[in-house]
Amino acid sequence: MLDALDLSLKLDKESYKEQLEDLMRQLRSLQQSCWEEKIPVIIVLEGWAAAGKGTLLKKIVNYMDPRGFSVNPIFAANEQERMYPFLWRFWQKLPPKGSLGFFYHSWYTNCLEERLFSRIPAVHVPLVMRDINAFERQLVEDGAAIAKFWVHISQKELKKRLKKYEADELEMWRVRPEDWQQEKRYQEYSALVEEMLTYTSTGYGPWTLVEGDCERWSRVKVLSQLVAVIVQALDQKRARANVKIELSPPQKELLPTEPNFLAKVDLSAQLSKDDYRQRLRDSQIELRKLQAKIYQEKVPVIALFEGWDAAGKGGAIKRLTDTLDPRSYQVNTFAAPTEEEAQFHYLWRFWRRIPPGGKIGIFDRSWYGRVMVERVEGFAREKEWLRAYREINEFEAELTAEGYVVVKFFLHISPEEQLARFEERQNNPFKQYKLTDEDWRNREKWPLYDVAVNQMIARTNTPAAPWTVVPANDKYFARVQVIQTVVEAVKMELKRRGKD
């Protein structure tokens, strides 16, 4: 692939100047169009050291409105960033809708430098590439445009430029020891690049290979392709706006071939008050002891709670955290996305809240809102919530591959029990704040939610991140089962690590 590039291609000064001015005018106009159409654009600049990426970037942004772009220089992950999955820090840096985000180096460092210097095991590389492809596909399907560039130069040109920079007092700081290693191990590095390009050049995120020995040629090629990518994204969005979408009628009952997980739950399960107190105390003490191991072994834990309104999620979370050290857990509650959160892919706000190694993240509502409330209430289009099943499975697969313990609870109660709890809240002045008009409206849509929940469980119940459907008509039983399930999941992960 790289060998096929003609590095002798050149562009004379006059032709370069004329093309550059024209392309920059186009790009400035397209920046405004992206803002109007709310399209986020992600530009990945990768390539050899001294390939001219920095100068190219400076040329581009000098012509643009600085309020509409961000530049993200990517270095080796710091100590905090290493406490999370490797894509975590890149989710934080994504541009909002209507903005351009430049990545000077990117998530591909894990496929190249990190690999060249054996900072990640070779066995992890296929998983890294899998996660990168999923990451880029999720963004493009959500409306983003991605332009990826690899600026290629010959070994001779690389050596010449590194020597030139080292001899210049103003430029010598740019040359790292790793850059000389690229030159000395040029063939080895090229092989890694070839493999990366092969496995991550996809229909939604293709690579553009840029002949970089002539900087004029490389700048014009990058700008031409960037303009083409943005124009295509704008055309596609405008075309979609003119397409009339036929909505499927909401599914009010499961098909005979679909499993009914909720119907199989024994809602009569209960504990006596004395039994509850003893089992709750024993479970909380065991979890408190495990919290120390979680911290010592840097095990990240996620416990997420979904369930019917008034199913007892708050009470279960309260008992789960009662004996824990508050410095080592965080409870995250989620409602409708804020104005800021709505400017990003729906998973963005959840990536920001996942716990680092050694801590417990508790989610009161979660990313599953996409396939429940957003589906039923029409806040997400059908194609959006349908593809969310795969996106959620990919997200959780990334977490569990990194050693996260992911425990998912759906607290299930009967319609009759929910009505009794609603009426009790309505008549109790200290609990009336818990009951809203929206709760009553959701109750009227019970059949729609019943279908959505069952399909959610069927499509996202994976071996690494299984669902636990908790019988919650009896709050005592539900609270104890929640804590015991978390305990067993943590113990299983410690055993896998040989730390039980």
Side-chain angles (χ1 to χ4, degrees):
M1 194 179 297
L2 297 179
D3 290 341
L5 294 178
D6 183 359
L7 296 176
S8 67
L9 291 170
K10 297 184 183 299
L11 200 60
D12 65 80
K13 189 173 182 179
E14 287 303 316
S15 180
Y16 163 69
K17 185 176 180 181
E18 181 181 342
Q19 292 187 56
L20 183 68
E21 290 291 333
D22 180 56
L23 287 166
M24 292 313 303
R25 279 194 297 269
Q26 290 184 59
L27 189 57
R28 179 64 185 86
S29 174
L30 289 170
Q31 183 187 16
Q32 178 64 27
S33 297
C34 287
W35 172 256
E36 293 168 354
E37 297 290 342
K38 300 303 178 188
I39 295 177
V41 182
I42 298 158
I43 301 101
V44 173
L45 293 173
E46 293 283 3
W48 294 92
K53 301 182 297 297
T55 307
L56 168 65
L57 179 59
K58 190 172 186 302
K59 284 276 187 187
I60 296 174
V61 300
N62 277 349
Y63 284 77
M64 299 176 69
D65 185 334
R67 296 169 296 180
F69 69 84
S70 61
V71 175
N72 304 287
I74 303 302
F75 305 100
N78 60 34
E79 185 176 355
Q80 180 198 17
E81 291 166 342
R82 287 195 295 271
M83 300 293 287
Y84 295 89
F86 88 96
L87 282 173
W88 173 83
R89 60 177 174 145
F90 301 110
W91 276 94
Q92 319 302 310
K93 298 177 185 294
L94 290 175
K97 292 177 181 177
S99 293
L100 283 73
F102 292 89
F103 288 84
Y104 181 82
H105 295 303
S106 64
W107 36 94
Y108 287 100
T109 56
N110 275 50
C111 300
L112 296 174
E113 277 203 1
E114 297 292 290
R115 188 177 179 191
L116 183 68
F117 302 119
S118 301
R119 294 172 186 156
I120 62 170
V123 69
H124 287 179
V125 175
L127 292 179
V128 169
M129 293 184 183
R130 177 204 68 180
D131 293 344
I132 285 173
N133 285 341
F135 172 55
E136 292 178 353
R137 193 202 68 251
Q138 290 168 10
L139 298 178
V140 170
E141 289 183 340
D142 195 52
I146 295 182
K148 303 188 304 191
F149 300 97
W150 175 264
V151 185
H152 188 58
I153 57 177
S154 63
Q155 185 173 13
K156 179 180 178 182
E157 184 68 18
L158 173 58
K159 187 172 184 178
K160 184 177 87 172
R161 292 187 188 182
L162 290 176
K163 283 186 175 181
K164 178 183 175 182
Y165 291 149
E166 277 198 335
D168 188 331
E169 288 185 356
L170 298 178
E171 299 286 353
M172 60 188 302
W173 62 272
R174 294 171 55 182
V175 182
R176 309 170 302 154
E178 290 91 342
D179 297 339
W180 277 113
Q181 283 297 311
Q182 286 187 23
E183 191 277 326
K184 291 176 181 177
R185 303 167 66 179
Y186 186 89
Q187 295 304 321
E188 182 182 352
Y189 198 70
S190 291
L192 297 181
V193 173
E194 291 273 9
E195 185 179 34
M196 176 195 77
L197 296 173
T198 299
Y199 287 102
T200 62
S201 194
T202 60
Y204 42 82
W207 281 99
T208 297
L209 305 184
V210 182
E211 301 85 349
D213 276 15
C214 173
E215 289 189 299
R216 293 172 186 163
W217 175 275
S218 67
R219 290 171 193 169
V220 168
K221 184 168 183 177
V222 167
L223 286 167
S224 299
Q225 181 62 21
L226 179 55
V227 165
V229 167
I230 297 175
V231 167
Q232 182 182 40
L234 288 165
D235 288 345
Q236 288 175 344
K237 178 157 189 181
R238 290 162 182 162
R240 287 195 297 269
N242 294 324
V243 175
K244 186 177 180 180
I245 301 174
E246 295 287 338
L247 297 178
S248 302
Q251 187 177 344
K252 296 183 179 180
E253 58 183 28
L254 293 169
L255 299 174
T257 55
E258 292 183 288
N260 192 329
F261 296 94
L262 299 184
K264 297 176 182 177
V265 177
D266 180 9
L267 291 176
S268 66
Q270 58 184 314
L271 292 175
S272 67
K273 194 167 187 177
D274 289 341
D275 195 15
Y276 163 68
R277 286 175 175 171
Q278 183 62 48
R279 292 178 64 178
L280 178 68
R281 180 176 178 276
D282 292 346
S283 299
Q284 288 177 329
I285 290 173
E286 188 170 14
L287 182 60
R288 180 67 181 87
K289 291 177 180 177
L290 283 174
Q291 190 180 20
K293 286 191 175 183
I294 289 169
Y295 179 78
Q296 292 164 4
E297 302 301 326
K298 304 301 179 189
V299 178
V301 179
I302 291 175
L304 70 86
F305 291 80
E306 297 288 353
W308 299 103
D309 294 328
K313 295 183 293 296
I317 291 171
K318 178 71 169 63
R319 274 67 182 185
L320 179 67
T321 61
D322 265 348
T323 59
L324 295 179
D325 185 329
R327 295 170 296 180
S328 291
Y329 73 83
Q330 176 70 46
V331 178
N332 306 284
T333 59
F334 292 95
T338 64
E339 185 177 348
E340 179 194 20
E341 291 167 344
Q343 299 305 306
F344 297 87
H345 189 284
Y346 78 96
L347 285 176
W348 178 81
R349 61 176 177 151
F350 303 110
W351 269 101
R352 298 176 77 198
R353 302 285 191 90
I354 62 172
K359 293 195 175 183
I360 301 171
I362 298 167
F363 289 73
D364 183 0
R365 304 295 188 185
S366 69
W367 41 94
Y368 283 99
R370 189 68 157 188
V371 295
M372 288 195 295
V373 65
E374 291 185 35
R375 167 188 174 172
V376 173
E377 303 299 334
F379 300 140
R381 291 172 294 179
E382 185 175 25
K383 67 177 183 179
E384 291 175 329
W385 62 258
L386 280 173
R387 70 170 180 254
Y389 296 119
R390 178 171 64 172
E391 294 171 339
I392 287 170
N393 285 337
E394 289 168 342
F395 175 35
E396 293 175 355
E398 289 179 52
L399 296 176
T400 55
E402 293 281 350
Y404 276 71
V405 175
V406 179
V407 192
K408 306 184 302 194
F409 297 105
F410 186 86
L411 273 61
H412 181 44
I413 57 176
S414 66
E416 296 76 18
E417 179 64 22
Q418 185 188 62
L419 179 59
R421 292 183 186 183
F422 276 13
E423 291 174 343
E424 195 270 336
R425 288 179 177 184
Q426 195 171 45
N427 298 326
N428 187 330
F430 296 104
K431 292 185 178 181
Q432 285 176 355
Y433 75 94
K434 290 185 174 183
L435 188 64
T436 67
D437 291 340
E438 185 178 346
D439 293 331
W440 287 108
R441 286 195 300 271
N442 290 344
R443 178 173 167 77
E444 293 175 1
K445 297 179 180 179
W446 186 287
L448 297 177
Y449 278 100
D450 185 78
V451 170
V453 171
N454 276 292
Q455 291 181 345
M456 172 191 77
I457 294 171
R459 298 173 188 182
T460 61
N461 189 52
T462 62
W467 277 100
T468 298
V469 182
V470 181
N473 270 9
D474 180 71
K475 293 181 179 181
Y476 291 164
F477 184 90
R479 292 166 183 172
V480 170
Q481 183 175 357
V482 163
I483 300 173
Q484 289 179 338
T485 302
V486 173
V487 165
E488 291 305 313
V490 172
K491 288 166 69 174
M492 187 179 299
E493 175 60 19
L494 290 170
K495 182 177 181 180
R496 187 189 70 80
R497 298 185 182 201
K499 302 296 181 180
D500 57 330

